[in-house]
Amino acid sequence: MTDQLFGISAPVFTVGGRAAASMGRDCVGLQIDQGIDGLKTLRAQLVAVGAGATGPPAPMMYLDGRTVDFGSALQVAIGPAQAQRVAFEGVVSALEAVFSDGQPPYVVLSAEDALMRMRMTRRMRTYRDVTDAQIATSLAEEHGLQVDVDLDGPRYDVVQQFNQSDLAFLRDRARRLQAELWCTGSTLHMSARARRDGTELTLVQGNQLLSVRLSADLAHQRSEVVVTGYDAGRAEGIEERAGAEVVDAEISGGRTGARILQQALGAAASFRVRDVALTGQEAGAWARAEMLRRARAFVTVAGSTRGSPDMVVGSRLTLSCVGGPFEGSGYYVTHVRHTFDLAHGLRTDFEAERATVNEAA
């Protein structure tokens, strides 16, 4: 018995809970995107002529609302039958008709996950005596979403949402603490990176990895981050610092960008001045988060695989045959794009990061 070397497995579409076999048959292009700041998106290109097309004036499929329409609940699974995974759940938000000379007409549909409603709701609101976890829970419940929030952070006297969409506001709150935001089905998730579940994959350059570019860059590394402010209750200034020790607590070996910077170029501090902390707790949390943001992106990876249905934002990667400093585990996926077409089948493009390079041999 021999393994199949190459084959194209079309995406499987489900609309409103019912299988839509014709959409899989007619799909000639698919793109699913997800990042660490939430809102998964999909674009699917479907040949719009064939059996079942309706008219006049021009017989077209997928424009009559019978198979799919605005607001249709859409689920898409990708990968071969034995390793198929649901890669998208959301709602159709746009339909396009595309006509080109010498080509059959296409219908392009776009969809977004349940965070779409948060993206479309803009507010001006004041929250008092709250944590970021409480804000996220409150907004999720207003939009009819289940809540899975696992987040530490300070309690704020006052937080203002000033002419922002609910999604932009939540993203801003998450960034302050280096938390991540995402949605699965009808559940809103918001948690620290260490508490986010993700698959584990090993990718070998020349095998699963079709191409990869890795970079370790000191340009945005800092030896410490300083956040200042003023505590009106105590009538005193605030100054909190976070250094390389914050990063050291996350790693199990290797050399961090902060440590290498100190040795190679000397100390370099970053001062956060756009956000003014009102308590020492706020300042300390923001300083640690900013230090982690910079340090985690010391090593960045952009790669492409032969199709990895199991890869999601939050996956942990082990990379092999990619050069001494970059070998091994500890990579965290920050962006995933699954694509499908008839020429290449399923492909997965990803971005990942790691806080360390390996010790010199």
Side-chain angles (χ1 to χ4, degrees):
M1 183 175 182
T2 59
D3 293 332
Q4 184 177 359
L5 294 179
F6 179 77
I8 292 180
S9 298
V12 176
F13 291 80
T14 303
V15 181
R18 296 184 178 182
S22 64
M23 294 178 68
R25 177 198 66 200
D26 296 332
C27 180
V28 294
L30 178 72
Q31 179 174 306
I32 300 171
D33 278 281
Q34 181 186 18
I36 59 174
D37 55 357
L39 191 65
K40 185 181 288 187
T41 61
L42 173 146
R43 282 178 62 85
Q45 185 180 14
L46 310 171
V47 175
V49 293
T54 60
M60 291 281 287
M61 298 180 68
Y62 308 116
L63 291 179
D64 56 8
R66 293 192 303 175
T67 303
V68 64
D69 202 356
F70 296 104
S72 293
L74 180 68
Q75 183 184 90
V76 180
I78 59 173
Q82 66 274 18
Q84 199 169 80
R85 298 291 183 270
V86 173
F88 180 84
E89 292 180 86
V91 175
V92 175
S93 57
L95 294 169
E96 305 173 37
V98 181
F99 301 88
S100 300
D101 186 33
Q103 299 290 330
Y106 298 100
V107 166
V108 179
L109 64 87
S110 299
E112 300 174 71
D113 70 13
L115 294 180
M116 177 176 65
R117 287 299 307 164
M118 285 192 169
R119 178 181 63 78
M120 299 174 71
T121 304
R122 185 175 293 269
R123 307 176 195 260
M124 298 180 69
R125 176 184 283 180
T126 299
Y127 298 85
R128 297 184 183 278
D129 189 29
V130 292
T131 64
D132 288 305
Q134 290 173 329
I135 291 173
T137 298
S138 174
L139 285 174
E141 291 175 346
E142 287 187 29
H143 287 279
L145 299 175
Q146 302 295 315
V147 185
D148 178 22
V149 176
D150 187 4
L151 188 65
D152 298 324
R155 177 171 292 274
Y156 304 95
D157 290 336
V158 177
V159 175
Q160 289 186 308
Q161 180 178 352
F162 185 73
N163 194 28
Q164 290 176 290
S165 71
D166 286 348
L167 180 58
F169 178 60
L170 267 189
R171 284 172 168 173
D172 181 56
R173 302 313 304 174
R175 288 190 194 107
R176 290 169 185 266
L177 300 178
Q178 276 303 284
E180 297 182 3
L181 180 70
W182 73 101
C183 198
T184 56
S186 60
T187 301
L188 172 76
H189 305 268
M190 188 173 177
S191 76
R193 175 172 294 189
R195 301 173 189 170
R196 182 171 186 171
D197 292 331
T199 54
E200 295 187 5
L201 294 86
T202 297
L203 303 176
V204 181
Q205 193 279 321
N207 188 354
Q208 297 91 351
L209 274 174
L210 297 176
S211 63
V212 63
R213 180 173 182 171
L214 306 99
S215 172
D217 191 349
L218 293 175
H220 299 288
Q221 296 300 298
R222 297 295 182 269
S223 54
E224 67 175 353
V225 172
V226 183
V227 175
T228 59
Y230 185 77
D231 189 326
R234 297 183 177 183
E236 62 184 19
I238 297 169
E239 181 175 289
E240 294 289 338
R241 296 172 177 264
E245 70 283 350
V246 174
V247 191
D248 294 340
E250 282 200 340
I251 65 172
S252 58
R255 299 185 296 160
T256 65
R259 297 293 186 191
I260 295 174
L261 175 72
Q262 180 80 35
Q263 295 167 3
L265 302 175
S270 175
F271 289 81
R272 289 197 63 173
V273 296
R274 293 186 178 181
D275 295 316
V276 178
L278 302 181
T279 68
Q281 189 183 23
E282 288 180 23
W286 295 352
R288 289 190 295 273
E290 175 63 8
M291 189 68 191
L292 287 174
R293 183 189 71 81
R294 289 178 177 274
R296 287 168 173 171
F298 174 43
V299 178
T300 56
V301 181
S304 179
T305 78
R306 292 187 289 114
S308 303
D310 287 335
M311 190 182 296
V312 296
V313 171
S315 288
R316 275 72 172 178
L317 304 183
T318 297
L319 302 183
S320 182
C321 300
V322 292
F326 305 111
E327 285 284 313
S329 61
Y331 290 96
Y332 186 90
V333 175
T334 58
H335 185 269
V336 175
R337 171 176 291 171
H338 297 294
T339 61
F340 170 85
D341 60 42
L342 298 182
H344 302 99
L346 180 65
R347 292 285 186 267
T348 300
D349 299 323
F350 69 92
E351 296 175 8
E353 59 187 26
R354 189 173 78 170
T356 63
V357 291
N358 298 329
E359 299 284 355

